[in-house]
């Protein structure tokens, strides 16, 4: 098994609506620089850490303004009940490994096994592509909602489904 972290995985949807994956070479065991990520997503970046890509701490990097720019959806998000979340990941989706270092969290390349796990974690249905939201994210979200309710805050969860 290879432990070299020298690729990032780029996911995008082509003009025919098919999901494509591409690997981008990066320096082994060195943090991926902002310029590489920015170029890969065509703009400023946002880190999405609440998706389950099959391996712990694999996160998505997306264009921070992708929704405002009305970029095409690449991955729709599914909660634990397989309900589609309101906002999908749009434009190019870059997968990297988030690792804690002496300087805090940094983003590194993936191993071949992590790339394989990430691709295996994706679901498809009627020409759309999906990734599950991370269960730990739901536990934290539900704990927060329960805490607000205990404090007397009226909390109402609204499920909104995008048009597919």
């Amino acid at each position: 098994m290879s432990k070299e972290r020298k690729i990032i995985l780029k996911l995008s949807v082509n003009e025919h609506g098919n999901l494509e994956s591409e690997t981008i070479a990066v320096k082994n065991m060195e943090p991926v620089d902002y310029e590489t990520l920015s170029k890969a997503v065509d703009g400023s970046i946002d880190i999405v850490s609440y998706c389950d890509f099959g391996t712990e701490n694999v996160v998505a990097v997306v264009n921070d303004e992708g929704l405002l720019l009305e970029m095409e959806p690449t991955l729709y998000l599914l909660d634990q009940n397989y309900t589609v979340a309101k906002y999908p990941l749009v434009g190019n989706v870059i997968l990297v490994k988030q690792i804690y270092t002496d300087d805090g969290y940094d983003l590194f390349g993936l191993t071949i096994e992590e790339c394989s796990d990430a691709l295996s974690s994706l679901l498809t249905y009627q020409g759309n592509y999906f990734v599950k939201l991370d269960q730990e994210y739901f536990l934290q979200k539900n704990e927060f909602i329960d805490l607000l309710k205990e404090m007397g805050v009226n909390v109402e969860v609204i499920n909104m489904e995008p048009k597919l």
Side-chain angles (χ1 to χ4, degrees):
M1 288 203 169
S2 170
K3 294 298 177 194
E4 292 185 330
R5 300 191 166 284
K6 58 182 185 177
I7 52 178
I8 57 178
L9 188 61
K10 177 180 175 181
L11 304 174
S12 59
V13 176
N14 67 22
E15 63 275 3
H16 303 292
N18 297 317
L19 186 70
E20 294 183 338
S21 65
E22 172 188 348
T23 57
I24 300 171
V26 295
K27 292 181 182 175
N28 186 36
M29 289 307 299
E30 290 187 25
V32 180
D33 60 80
Y34 177 83
E35 291 77 22
T36 299
L37 295 171
S38 177
K39 181 179 177 184
V41 299
D42 300 321
S44 60
I45 69 168
D46 190 18
I47 299 169
V48 180
S49 60
Y50 48 80
C51 297
D52 182 359
F53 288 107
T55 303
E56 188 174 351
N57 296 328
V58 171
V59 298
V61 177
V62 297
N63 185 308
D64 187 42
E65 298 177 335
L67 289 170
L68 294 172
L69 296 171
E70 297 181 359
M71 291 180 163
E72 290 296 317
T74 302
L75 296 173
Y76 291 94
L77 309 175
L78 296 174
D79 69 15
Q80 72 270 27
N81 298 316
Y82 290 90
T83 302
V84 178
K86 183 176 179 182
Y87 298 110
L89 301 182
V90 299
N92 296 336
V93 176
I94 309 304
L95 302 185
V96 294
K97 181 81 168 188
Q98 187 175 46
I99 298 175
Y100 189 78
T101 67
D102 292 339
D103 297 324
Y105 283 102
D106 269 317
L107 303 176
F108 290 83
L110 301 171
T111 64
I112 292 171
E113 292 81 9
E114 289 167 338
C115 286
S116 178
D117 289 347
L119 291 172
S120 296
S121 72
L122 303 179
L123 306 169
T124 183
Y125 179 72
Q126 294 184 346
N128 295 293
Y129 301 91
F130 302 86
V131 63
K132 294 179 189 174
L133 291 170
D134 184 61
Q135 290 303 309
E136 186 174 317
Y137 166 78
F138 276 107
L139 292 175
Q140 290 174 353
K141 178 182 166 189
N142 291 337
E143 287 174 7
F144 179 68
I145 290 172
D146 290 343
L147 179 64
L148 289 175
K149 287 179 181 177
E150 287 175 17
M151 295 171 55
V153 176
N154 184 19
V155 177
E156 183 178 345
V157 177
I158 301 172
N159 288 325
M160 299 180 74
E161 296 191 27
K163 296 176 186 174
L164 296 180

Coordinates of all heavy atoms in Angstrom, one line a residue, residues 43-100:
G43 N -10.9 30.1 -9.0 CA -11.3 31.3 -8.1 C -10.8 31.1 -6.7 O -10.1 30.2 -6.4
S44 N -11.4 31.9 -5.8 CA -11.1 31.8 -4.4 C -11.6 30.5 -3.9 O -12.6 30.0 -4.4 CB -11.6 33.0 -3.6 OG -13.0 33.1 -3.7
I45 N -11.0 30.0 -2.8 CA -11.4 28.6 -2.3 C -12.2 28.7 -1.0 O -12.2 29.6 -0.2 CB -10.2 27.8 -2.1 CG1 -9.3 28.2 -0.9 CG2 -9.3 27.7 -3.4 CD1 -8.3 27.3 -0.5
D46 N -13.0 27.6 -0.9 CA -13.7 27.3 0.4 C -13.5 25.9 0.7 O -13.5 25.0 -0.2 CB -15.2 27.6 0.2 CG -16.0 27.6 1.5 OD1 -15.3 27.7 2.6 OD2 -17.2 27.5 1.5
I47 N -13.3 25.5 1.9 CA -13.1 24.2 2.4 C -14.3 23.6 2.9 O -14.9 24.2 3.9 CB -11.9 24.1 3.4 CG1 -10.6 24.6 2.8 CG2 -11.7 22.6 3.9 CD1 -9.5 24.8 3.7
V48 N -14.8 22.5 2.4 CA -16.0 21.8 2.9 C -15.6 20.5 3.6 O -15.1 19.6 3.0 CB -16.9 21.5 1.7 CG1 -18.2 20.8 2.2 CG2 -17.3 22.7 0.9
S49 N -15.8 20.5 4.9 CA -15.3 19.4 5.7 C -16.4 18.5 6.2 O -16.1 17.6 7.0 CB -14.4 19.9 6.9 OG -15.2 20.7 7.7
Y50 N -17.6 18.6 5.8 CA -18.7 17.9 6.4 C -19.2 16.8 5.4 O -20.4 16.3 5.6 CB -19.8 18.8 6.8 CG -20.2 19.8 5.8 CD1 -21.1 19.5 4.8 CD2 -19.8 21.1 6.0 CE1 -21.4 20.5 3.9 CE2 -20.1 22.1 5.1 CZ -21.0 21.8 4.0 OH -21.3 22.8 3.1
C51 N -18.4 16.4 4.5 CA -18.8 15.3 3.6 C -18.1 14.0 3.9 O -16.9 14.1 4.4 CB -18.5 15.7 2.1 SG -19.5 17.1 1.5
D52 N -18.6 12.9 3.6 CA -18.0 11.6 3.9 C -17.5 11.0 2.6 O -18.2 10.4 1.8 CB -19.0 10.6 4.5 CG -18.4 9.3 4.9 OD1 -17.2 9.1 4.6 OD2 -19.2 8.4 5.4
F53 N -16.2 11.2 2.4 CA -15.5 10.7 1.2 C -14.8 9.4 1.4 O -13.9 9.0 0.7 CB -14.6 11.7 0.6 CG -15.2 12.9 0.0 CD1 -15.3 14.2 0.6 CD2 -15.9 12.8 -1.2 CE1 -15.9 15.2 0.0 CE2 -16.5 13.9 -1.8 CZ -16.5 15.1 -1.2
G54 N -15.3 8.6 2.4 CA -14.8 7.3 2.6 C -13.5 7.2 3.5 O -13.2 6.1 3.9
T55 N -12.8 8.2 3.7 CA -11.6 8.2 4.5 C -11.7 9.5 5.4 O -12.0 10.6 5.0 CB -10.4 8.3 3.7 OG1 -10.4 7.2 2.8 CG2 -9.1 8.2 4.5
E56 N -11.3 9.3 6.7 CA -11.3 10.4 7.6 C -10.4 11.5 7.2 O -9.3 11.3 6.7 CB -10.8 9.9 9.0 CG -11.0 10.9 10.1 CD -10.6 10.3 11.5 OE1 -10.4 9.1 11.6 OE2 -10.6 11.1 12.4
N57 N -10.9 12.7 7.4 CA -10.2 14.0 7.1 C -9.9 14.2 5.6 O -9.1 15.1 5.3 CB -8.9 14.1 7.9 CG -9.2 14.1 9.4 OD1 -10.2 14.7 9.8 ND2 -8.3 13.6 10.1
V58 N -10.6 13.6 4.7 CA -10.6 13.9 3.3 C -11.7 15.0 3.1 O -12.8 14.8 3.5 CB -10.8 12.8 2.3 CG1 -11.0 13.2 0.9 CG2 -9.7 11.8 2.4
V59 N -11.3 16.2 2.6 CA -12.2 17.3 2.5 C -12.2 17.8 1.1 O -11.4 17.5 0.3 CB -11.7 18.5 3.5 CG1 -11.7 18.1 4.9 CG2 -10.4 19.0 3.1
A60 N -13.3 18.5 0.8 CA -13.5 19.1 -0.5 C -13.1 20.6 -0.5 O -13.3 21.3 0.4 CB -14.9 19.0 -1.0
V61 N -12.5 21.0 -1.6 CA -12.2 22.4 -1.8 C -13.0 22.8 -3.1 O -12.9 22.1 -4.1 CB -10.6 22.6 -2.1 CG1 -10.4 24.1 -2.4 CG2 -9.8 22.2 -0.9
V62 N -13.8 23.9 -2.9 CA -14.6 24.4 -4.0 C -14.4 25.9 -4.2 O -13.8 26.5 -3.4 CB -16.1 24.1 -3.6 CG1 -16.4 22.6 -3.5 CG2 -16.5 24.8 -2.4
N63 N -15.0 26.4 -5.3 CA -14.9 27.8 -5.5 C -15.9 28.5 -4.5 O -17.0 28.2 -4.4 CB -15.4 28.1 -6.9 CG -15.3 29.6 -7.3 OD1 -15.8 30.4 -6.6 ND2 -14.6 29.8 -8.4
D64 N -15.3 29.4 -3.8 CA -16.0 30.1 -2.7 C -17.3 30.9 -3.2 O -18.2 31.0 -2.5 CB -15.1 31.1 -2.0 CG -15.7 31.7 -0.8 OD1 -16.4 31.0 0.0 OD2 -15.5 33.0 -0.6
E65 N -17.2 31.3 -4.5 CA -18.4 32.0 -5.0 C -19.1 31.2 -6.0 O -19.9 31.7 -6.8 CB -17.9 33.3 -5.7 CG -17.2 34.2 -4.7 CD -16.6 35.5 -5.4 OE1 -16.3 35.4 -6.6 OE2 -16.5 36.5 -4.7
G66 N -18.9 29.9 -6.0 CA -19.5 29.0 -7.0 C -21.0 29.1 -7.1 O -21.6 29.1 -8.2
L67 N -21.7 29.1 -6.0 CA -23.2 29.2 -6.0 C -23.6 30.6 -6.5 O -24.6 30.7 -7.3 CB -23.7 29.0 -4.6 CG -23.6 27.6 -4.0 CD1 -24.0 27.5 -2.6 CD2 -24.5 26.6 -4.8
L68 N -22.9 31.7 -6.1 CA -23.3 33.0 -6.6 C -23.0 33.1 -8.1 O -23.8 33.8 -8.8 CB -22.5 34.1 -5.9 CG -22.8 34.2 -4.4 CD1 -21.8 35.2 -3.8 CD2 -24.2 34.7 -4.2
L69 N -22.0 32.4 -8.6 CA -21.7 32.4 -10.0 C -22.6 31.4 -10.8 O -22.4 31.3 -12.0 CB -20.2 32.1 -10.3 CG -19.2 33.1 -9.7 CD1 -17.8 32.5 -9.8 CD2 -19.3 34.4 -10.4
E70 N -23.4 30.8 -10.1 CA -24.4 29.8 -10.7 C -23.6 28.7 -11.5 O -24.0 28.3 -12.6 CB -25.4 30.5 -11.6 CG -26.3 31.4 -10.8 CD -27.4 32.1 -11.6 OE1 -27.4 31.9 -12.9 OE2 -28.2 32.8 -11.0
M71 N -22.5 28.2 -10.9 CA -21.8 27.1 -11.5 C -22.7 25.8 -11.4 O -23.5 25.7 -10.5 CB -20.5 26.8 -10.7 CG -19.5 27.9 -10.9 SD -18.0 27.5 -10.0 CE -16.8 28.6 -10.8
E72 N -22.5 24.9 -12.3 CA -23.3 23.7 -12.4 C -23.0 22.8 -11.2 O -21.8 22.7 -10.8 CB -23.0 22.9 -13.7 CG -23.5 23.6 -14.9 CD -25.0 23.8 -14.9 OE1 -25.7 22.8 -14.6 OE2 -25.5 24.8 -15.3
P73 N -24.0 22.2 -10.6 CA -23.8 21.2 -9.5 C -22.9 20.0 -10.0 O -23.1 19.5 -11.1 CB -25.2 20.7 -9.2 CG -26.1 21.8 -9.7 CD -25.4 22.3 -10.9
T74 N -22.0 19.7 -9.1 CA -21.1 18.5 -9.3 C -21.6 17.4 -8.4 O -21.8 16.3 -8.8 CB -19.7 18.8 -9.1 OG1 -19.3 19.9 -9.9 CG2 -18.8 17.6 -9.3
L75 N -21.8 17.7 -7.1 CA -22.2 16.7 -6.1 C -23.3 17.3 -5.3 O -23.2 18.3 -4.7 CB -21.0 16.3 -5.2 CG -19.9 15.6 -5.8 CD1 -18.7 15.4 -4.8 CD2 -20.3 14.3 -6.4
Y76 N -24.4 16.5 -5.2 CA -25.5 16.8 -4.2 C -25.2 16.1 -2.9 O -24.6 15.1 -2.9 CB -26.9 16.4 -4.8 CG -27.3 17.2 -6.0 CD1 -27.0 16.7 -7.3 CD2 -28.0 18.4 -5.8 CE1 -27.4 17.5 -8.4 CE2 -28.4 19.1 -6.9 CZ -28.1 18.7 -8.2 OH -28.5 19.4 -9.3
L77 N -25.6 16.8 -1.8 CA -25.3 16.2 -0.5 C -26.5 15.5 0.1 O -27.6 16.0 0.0 CB -24.9 17.4 0.4 CG -23.8 18.3 -0.1 CD1 -23.5 19.5 0.8 CD2 -22.5 17.5 -0.4
L78 N -26.3 14.4 0.7 CA -27.3 13.5 1.3 C -27.1 13.5 2.8 O -26.0 13.2 3.2 CB -27.3 12.1 0.7 CG -27.6 11.9 -0.8 CD1 -27.3 10.5 -1.2 CD2 -29.0 12.4 -1.1
D79 N -28.2 13.7 3.5 CA -28.1 13.5 5.0 C -28.3 12.0 5.3 O -28.5 11.2 4.5 CB -29.1 14.4 5.7 CG -30.6 14.1 5.5 OD1 -30.9 13.0 5.1 OD2 -31.4 14.9 5.9
Q80 N -28.4 11.8 6.6 CA -28.5 10.4 7.1 C -29.8 9.7 6.7 O -29.9 8.5 6.7 CB -28.3 10.3 8.6 CG -29.4 10.8 9.4 CD -29.3 12.3 9.8 OE1 -28.7 13.1 9.1 NE2 -30.0 12.6 10.9
N81 N -30.8 10.5 6.3 CA -32.1 9.9 5.8 C -32.2 9.9 4.3 O -33.2 9.7 3.7 CB -33.2 10.7 6.4 CG -33.3 10.7 7.9 OD1 -33.1 9.6 8.5 ND2 -33.5 11.8 8.6
Y82 N -31.0 10.2 3.6 CA -31.0 10.3 2.2 C -31.8 11.4 1.6 O -32.4 11.3 0.5 CB -31.3 8.9 1.5 CG -30.2 7.9 1.8 CD1 -30.2 7.1 2.9 CD2 -29.1 7.8 0.9 CE1 -29.2 6.2 3.1 CE2 -28.1 6.9 1.2 CZ -28.1 6.1 2.3 OH -27.1 5.2 2.5
T83 N -32.0 12.5 2.4 CA -32.6 13.7 1.9 C -31.6 14.6 1.3 O -30.5 14.7 1.9 CB -33.3 14.4 3.1 OG1 -34.3 13.5 3.7 CG2 -34.0 15.7 2.7
V84 N -31.9 15.2 0.2 CA -30.9 16.0 -0.5 C -30.9 17.4 0.2 O -31.9 18.0 0.5 CB -31.3 16.2 -2.0 CG1 -30.4 17.2 -2.7 CG2 -31.4 14.9 -2.7
A85 N -29.6 17.8 0.6 CA -29.4 19.1 1.2 C -29.7 20.2 0.3 O -29.6 20.0 -0.9 CB -28.0 19.1 1.8
K86 N -29.9 21.4 0.8 CA -30.3 22.5 0.0 C -29.2 22.9 -1.0 O -29.6 23.2 -2.1 CB -30.5 23.7 1.0 CG -31.0 25.0 0.3 CD -31.4 26.0 1.3 CE -31.8 27.3 0.6 NZ -32.1 28.4 1.5
Y87 N -28.0 23.0 -0.6 CA -26.9 23.5 -1.5 C -26.0 22.4 -1.9 O -25.3 21.8 -1.1 CB -26.2 24.7 -0.9 CG -27.0 25.8 -0.6 CD1 -27.3 26.2 0.8 CD2 -27.6 26.6 -1.6 CE1 -28.2 27.3 1.0 CE2 -28.4 27.7 -1.3 CZ -28.7 28.0 0.0 OH -29.5 29.1 0.3
P88 N -25.8 22.2 -3.2 CA -24.8 21.2 -3.7 C -23.4 21.8 -3.7 O -23.2 23.0 -3.6 CB -25.3 20.9 -5.1 CG -25.9 22.2 -5.6 CD -26.5 22.8 -4.3
L89 N -22.4 20.9 -4.0 CA -21.1 21.4 -4.3 C -21.1 21.6 -5.8 O -21.5 20.8 -6.6 CB -20.1 20.3 -3.9 CG -20.0 19.9 -2.4 CD1 -18.9 18.8 -2.2 CD2 -19.8 21.0 -1.5
V90 N -20.7 22.8 -6.2 CA -20.7 23.2 -7.6 C -19.4 23.4 -8.2 O -18.4 23.7 -7.4 CB -21.6 24.5 -7.7 CG1 -23.0 24.2 -7.3 CG2 -21.0 25.7 -7.0
G91 N -19.3 23.4 -9.5 CA -18.0 23.6 -10.2 C -17.0 22.5 -9.9 O -17.4 21.4 -9.6
N92 N -15.8 22.8 -10.1 CA -14.7 21.8 -9.8 C -14.7 21.5 -8.3 O -14.6 22.4 -7.5 CB -13.4 22.2 -10.3 CG -13.3 22.4 -11.8 OD1 -14.1 21.8 -12.5 ND2 -12.4 23.2 -12.3
V93 N -14.6 20.2 -7.9 CA -14.5 19.8 -6.5 C -13.2 19.1 -6.4 O -12.9 18.1 -7.1 CB -15.7 18.9 -6.1 CG1 -15.5 18.4 -4.7 CG2 -17.0 19.6 -6.3
I94 N -12.3 19.7 -5.5 CA -11.0 19.1 -5.4 C -10.9 18.4 -4.0 O -11.3 19.0 -3.0 CB -9.9 20.3 -5.4 CG1 -10.1 21.2 -6.6 CG2 -8.5 19.7 -5.3 CD1 -10.1 20.4 -7.9
L95 N -10.5 17.2 -4.0 CA -10.4 16.4 -2.8 C -8.9 16.4 -2.3 O -8.0 16.1 -3.1 CB -10.9 15.0 -3.0 CG -12.4 14.9 -3.4 CD1 -12.8 13.5 -3.4 CD2 -13.3 15.7 -2.5
V96 N -8.7 16.7 -1.0 CA -7.4 16.7 -0.4 C -7.5 16.2 1.0 O -8.6 15.9 1.5 CB -6.8 18.2 -0.3 CG1 -6.5 18.7 -1.7 CG2 -7.8 19.1 0.5
K97 N -6.4 15.9 1.6 CA -6.4 15.4 3.0 C -6.0 16.5 4.0 O -5.1 17.3 3.8 CB -5.3 14.3 3.1 CG -5.2 13.7 4.5 CD -6.3 12.6 4.7 CE -6.0 11.8 5.9 NZ -6.9 10.6 6.0
Q98 N -6.9 16.7 5.0 CA -6.6 17.8 6.0 C -5.8 17.1 7.2 O -6.3 16.2 7.8 CB -7.9 18.4 6.5 CG -7.8 19.5 7.4 CD -9.1 20.1 7.7 OE1 -10.1 19.4 8.1 NE2 -9.2 21.4 7.7
I99 N -4.6 17.6 7.4 CA -3.8 17.0 8.4 C -3.3 18.1 9.4 O -2.9 19.2 9.0 CB -2.5 16.3 7.8 CG1 -3.0 15.2 6.9 CG2 -1.6 15.8 8.9 CD1 -1.8 14.5 6.1
Y100 N -3.4 17.7 10.7 CA -2.9 18.7 11.7 C -1.4 18.6 11.8 O -0.8 17.6 11.9 CB -3.5 18.4 13.1 CG -3.3 19.4 14.1 CD1 -4.0 20.6 14.1 CD2 -2.3 19.3 15.0 CE1 -3.7 21.6 15.0 CE2 -2.0 20.3 16.0 CZ -2.7 21.5 15.9 OH -2.4 22.5 16.8

